[in-house]
Amino acid sequence: MSDIASPHNLEYIEQMYQRYRQDPTSVDGSWKTFFEGFELGLSTGGVPHCAGEVEEAEKQSRVASLMHAYRGLGHRAARLDPLTDEQVDVPELALSSFGLQELDLERVFDTGHLGGDFQGTAGPRQASLAEIIQILHDTYCRTMAVEYLHIQDVGCRRWLQARMEPVRNRPDLSRGRKLTILRHLVDATLMETFIGQRYLGQKRFSLEGAETLIPAVHALVEAAASLGVEEVIIGMAHRGRLNMLANVLGKSYADIFAEFEDIVQPEQYGGDGDVKYHKGYSSDMTTAAGDDVHLSLTANPSHLEAVDPVVEGRVRAKQRRRGDSVERKKVLPLLVHGDAAFAGQGLVAETLNLSQLPGYRTGGTVHFIINNQIGFTTSPEEARSTTYCTDVAKMIDAPIFHVNGDDPEAVVHAMELALGYRHRFGRDVVVDMICYRRHGHNEGDEPGFTQPLLYSKIKKHQPVRDLYTRALIASGDLTPEQEARITAAFADELQHAFDEVKQAELKPPAQDQDAGQDNWSE
């Protein structure tokens, strides 16, 4: 008996076969090929024409199992943690686990739908085992990994495969788009360091270590507007809120600096009177393609995930006002979470549980997790019982994209893929960006006291902006002189805004001349 038909696999294979018999198109192409060969054997009485045909059929079934395993387990071998270069060994993906050998690497097998039409042919696709493994590894085991085989709807799984495997989860971005990503990284990085230097010790819940959030959200907004989204409603906790306000929603740097200086500035934000990293804001944005979209960051004066149902309620109300209560494609909810809160707060599960009900549906939410790999002072292995902080989202069959925050192009690709899924199926989707927190929970505590090993790594780790700059220079998409001009221009903009606030006259509120005096004349 072959390894594919081991006692551990028989029940699963039987389930897949019964599904195939009811509808051959309901299973993945690799399984379809396997079962076609199986039934061909039955139709000939199970008697092989020759030993070579038996071996070929058995090898093909083993390759089909290998392909399925990579789609389901490839995330375990991916390089997701920016703080380590260690390659994770996954024995279940070894050739020997499928009864295959290195001698088989040059043999040609049917690939089903693997890699899309990567050979440029319309007929049955074939490739060597080495090519098959390379496609699978590139798609599922690099800096972006995917969990999607838990989704029951085969149409959803096939849609994802058709958009991931042909490009191997690495889109071919133009030079212009790469430079746009770099500019957003420069904006995010320099703003944080500028505030940190000018307002030393003041709480700001820095985004440092997770700066890729800014190009990711920009990419989402640009793509959403092109799909007809007219409004994006955002909810998030404290970390990175000031950066989001300035570098996505367009709140002026001068206004933000004025709040650090305790200068009252009348403006559009919600949560009036609350601290600056609780406040909301709204603005209109015109994308690079000329589409107009309204952005709204919901005020969140409460704790962490409390804003989630508020955002969903706002979105549903706005969809009704826009006459979009059927397709729900004109207003998009975006929730930005922390990893510890997503796994630890029951409000997340409650909101997910309501998401597919007719009375609460909003057409799908894009969840973006700033995965700092720490919650206040608690490491993940001491904070949750699940492998990933995102496992709770599997209860609603949400696809989950895990991506390394030091690979901004992969994060942008994940966001656009997530939006496409939401637009096509009207369901929730999760992007889990694994990154780090350069400072403590806030700027008033020293993380090295509680996490000395982790923070010794972080102190030595270069910011993503520097890493991406080096990569673009190495690829010829950027010169050091261009990078210097981009950085200098934004640094000047920040300094100008800071000087503007510092030079502003602080006028005391007008007082009545008799204020504070007793008026005995009355």
Side-chain angles (χ1 to χ4, degrees):
M1 180 179 293
S2 66
D3 291 342
I4 182 64
S6 71
H8 302 293
N9 294 347
L10 287 177
E11 183 178 350
Y12 176 70
I13 294 173
E14 177 63 24
Q15 291 174 358
M16 296 294 290
Y17 182 53
Q18 293 304 322
R19 184 185 298 177
Y20 166 80
R21 292 186 64 184
Q22 293 176 6
D23 178 11
T25 64
S26 68
V27 299
D28 183 77
S30 57
W31 281 108
K32 186 171 179 289
T33 301
F34 171 62
F35 291 132
E36 285 173 349
F38 173 71
E39 292 190 339
L40 178 62
L42 291 179
S43 68
T44 59
V47 180
H49 294 289
C50 66
E53 291 182 7
V54 173
E55 181 192 7
E56 191 66 28
E58 186 172 312
K59 291 283 188 183
Q60 181 65 60
S61 70
R62 293 171 186 271
V63 171
S65 297
L66 179 145
M67 292 162 60
H68 184 77
Y70 263 92
R71 287 164 175 157
L73 301 175
H75 60 91
R76 288 170 48 188
R79 295 183 291 106
L80 299 176
D81 186 354
L83 298 177
T84 180
D85 293 325
E86 295 180 10
Q87 185 67 47
V88 179
D89 181 41
V90 182
E92 294 89 340
L93 298 179
L95 288 175
S96 58
S97 297
F98 304 93
L100 297 168
Q101 307 173 36
E102 290 193 12
L103 294 174
D104 296 315
L105 291 173
E106 300 306 316
R107 296 181 63 169
V108 174
F109 297 95
D110 292 333
T111 66
H113 295 288
L114 176 67
D117 193 14
F118 70 94
Q119 284 190 310
T121 60
R125 301 180 180 92
Q126 292 189 325
S128 70
L129 179 57
E131 290 177 289
I132 290 171
I133 292 175
Q134 190 62 57
I135 293 171
L136 292 166
H137 182 273
D138 289 349
T139 304
Y140 300 109
C141 304
R142 290 196 293 179
T143 53
M144 177 174 167
V146 190
E147 291 184 275
Y148 70 105
L149 291 192
H150 59 277
I151 301 174
Q152 298 182 53
D153 189 334
V154 68
C156 294
R157 299 198 303 270
R158 285 189 172 176
W159 186 94
L160 288 167
Q161 284 179 17
R163 282 151 186 80
M164 295 188 297
E165 292 175 357
V167 298
R168 307 190 189 193
N169 272 334
R170 175 62 60 174
D172 184 17
L173 298 180
S174 67
R175 177 177 178 272
R177 287 210 62 192
K178 293 177 181 179
L179 294 181
T180 296
I181 291 173
L182 176 64
R183 289 190 181 97
H184 292 319
L185 289 175
V186 169
D187 293 352
T189 304
L190 292 192
M191 177 184 168
E192 293 293 351
T193 55
F194 189 91
I195 293 176
Q197 291 168 356
R198 300 308 190 280
Y199 303 103
L200 188 64
Q202 285 203 40
K203 283 186 183 180
R204 57 191 166 98
F205 292 94
S206 167
L207 188 64
E208 290 170 86
E211 296 95 334
T212 305
L213 168 72
I214 301 305
V217 175
H218 269 286
L220 179 79
V221 172
E222 293 275 345
S226 71
L227 292 174
V229 172
E230 299 172 358
E231 192 165 355
V232 180
I233 310 299
I234 306 169
M236 65 186 298
H238 314 330
R239 186 160 314 285
R241 176 178 288 263
L242 296 181
N243 218 305
M244 181 84 83
L245 284 167
N247 292 319
V248 175
L249 283 90
K251 182 175 179 177
S252 77
Y253 300 111
D255 286 346
I256 290 176
F257 296 153
E259 291 183 50
F260 278 97
E261 299 285 349
D262 292 325
I263 301 174
V264 178
Q265 296 284 336
E267 51 178 337
Q268 296 175 298
Y269 55 70
D272 188 21
D274 213 329
V275 293
K276 50 190 165 290
Y277 43 80
H278 287 172
K279 293 175 181 176
Y281 193 77
S282 64
S283 63
D284 294 314
M285 172 182 171
T286 301
T287 68
D291 299 310
D292 294 325
V293 59
H294 183 72
L295 305 179
S296 177
L297 178 61
T298 306
N300 185 19
S302 188
H303 193 254
L304 301 175
E305 304 295 337
V307 76
D308 298 359
V310 179
V311 167
E312 302 296 348
R314 291 187 68 201
V315 168
R316 192 172 168 89
K318 286 173 177 289
Q319 288 171 340
R320 178 177 294 181
R321 291 184 65 181
R322 291 180 180 271
D324 188 34
S325 296
V326 178
E327 291 192 342
R328 303 190 182 279
K329 292 184 177 180
K330 293 182 180 179
V331 185
L332 169 70
L334 168 64
L335 291 178
V336 181
H337 311 266
D339 53 317
F342 196 80
Q345 290 203 270
L347 197 57
V348 174
E350 293 170 15
T351 304
L352 290 171
N353 183 53
L354 294 173
S355 66
Q356 306 306 308
L357 301 181
Y360 298 87
R361 187 176 293 127
T362 59
T365 298
V366 175
H367 300 268
F368 187 92
I369 298 174
I370 300 176
N371 191 335
N372 295 309
Q373 307 184 77
I374 191 171
F376 196 5
T377 62
T378 307
S379 56
E381 59 270 16
E382 296 175 329
R384 63 175 187 261
S385 299
T386 57
T387 302
Y388 296 110
C389 66
T390 56
D391 286 349
V392 65
K394 290 182 179 179
M395 73 179 186
I396 59 167
D397 279 3
I400 300 166
F401 303 98
H402 304 286
V403 59
N404 189 318
D406 272 2
D407 188 347
E409 293 182 16
V411 178
V412 165
H413 175 58
M415 285 293 267
E416 292 175 344
L417 193 54
L419 175 67
Y421 184 90
R422 184 265 181 187
H423 185 76
R424 172 64 179 81
F425 297 104
R427 300 176 67 92
D428 287 38
V429 59
V430 179
V431 176
D432 174 29
M433 185 181 77
I434 292 87
C435 49
Y436 56 94
R437 189 187 69 195
R438 186 165 291 279
H439 305 295
H441 173 67
N442 60 55
E443 286 65 35
D445 70 279
E446 171 49 60
F449 291 160
T450 54
Q451 297 287 342
L453 297 180
L454 173 63
Y455 274 86
S456 66
K457 289 183 180 180
I458 291 174
K459 287 180 179 178
K460 300 172 185 175
H461 194 75
Q462 290 188 305
V464 60
R465 165 227 176 180
D466 295 349
L467 298 173
Y468 193 55
T469 296
R470 283 214 312 269
L472 292 184
I473 291 174
S475 66
D477 292 306
L478 179 73
T479 65
E481 293 75 21
Q482 288 173 317
E483 190 275 335
R485 285 196 296 271
I486 292 171
T487 300
F490 186 65
D492 288 345
E493 183 179 352
L494 289 173
Q495 188 63 49
H496 177 76
F498 181 77
D499 293 341
E500 177 185 328
V501 172
K502 284 292 188 181
Q503 293 168 8
E505 291 186 13
L506 304 181
K507 295 182 179 179
Q511 293 185 355
D512 183 74
Q513 61 181 359
D514 293 327
Q517 300 179 7
D518 291 325
N519 192 338
W520 295 100
S521 64
E522 295 181 358

